[in-house]
Amino acid sequence: MTDATTLHSLLSTRHSCRAFKPDALEQGTVEQILGDAGRVPSWCNAQPWQVIVTSGPQTDAFRDVMLEAFDTSTPSPDFAFPTQYSGAHQARRRACGYQLYDALEIPKTDRAATAQQMRENYRFFGAPHVALITTAAELGAYGALDCGGFITAFCLAAQARGIATVPQAAIAYYSDVVRAHFDIPEDRLVLAAISFGFADGDHPANSFRTDRADLSEFITFRK
């Protein structure tokens, strides 16, 4: 198998896992994934990502804090969230949500059930590990852009080892809570988290796959 074929396979088979087994990963495996992710390019090689990785009781403690935040706190993200989704963006977002709710047999009009499923984000979908990513505030959007590359590489490095992932911007809704829990300094901005571990392949939340836009929808060739 060529490198290109391997990469295509990893990109094609990776998906956002929304139900994990509780089994913890070996420390060496986690370090290998992080090491591979750290090889991505960054603006002036600044490598702005700082990562806090939780396991065992630390994941459970973080889970409890985030569930409490979801239940009782007001969102306070470090980065402004989208003001709206329109056009193709809205259509793709809606299709993804419908696929999830259909897989879980949640009627679209059942607000209580959909809210409960949203709450699963803050339970990390049962994942045994969470990688919290922060970026340097002074680097602004470019630091966030570089961290996006790190998140992608992390997910592919994990996929190559049979490890499931789900990047979660939802964690950043409560940046103040996250900052207080981990004693993160003010010059670091909470960007996102990645929940990871072994996928629960029997859970219906993992039974669907989202599609991707055709090249014609996002590429303009100039010759």
Side-chain angles (χ1 to χ4, degrees), residues 206-220:
N206 289 329
S207 66
F208 73 95
R209 299 291 182 269
T210 55
D211 62 8
R212 291 296 182 270
D214 184 80
L215 289 183
S216 63
E217 296 184 49
F218 64 94
I219 301 291
T220 300

Side-chain angles (χ1 to χ4, degrees), residues 87-107:
H89 306 141
Q90 171 69 343
R92 294 166 189 156
R93 181 174 186 261
R94 183 175 291 147
C96 178
Y98 285 172
Q99 283 180 279
L100 174 61
Y101 296 141
D102 287 345
L104 295 173
E105 297 183 349
I106 296 175

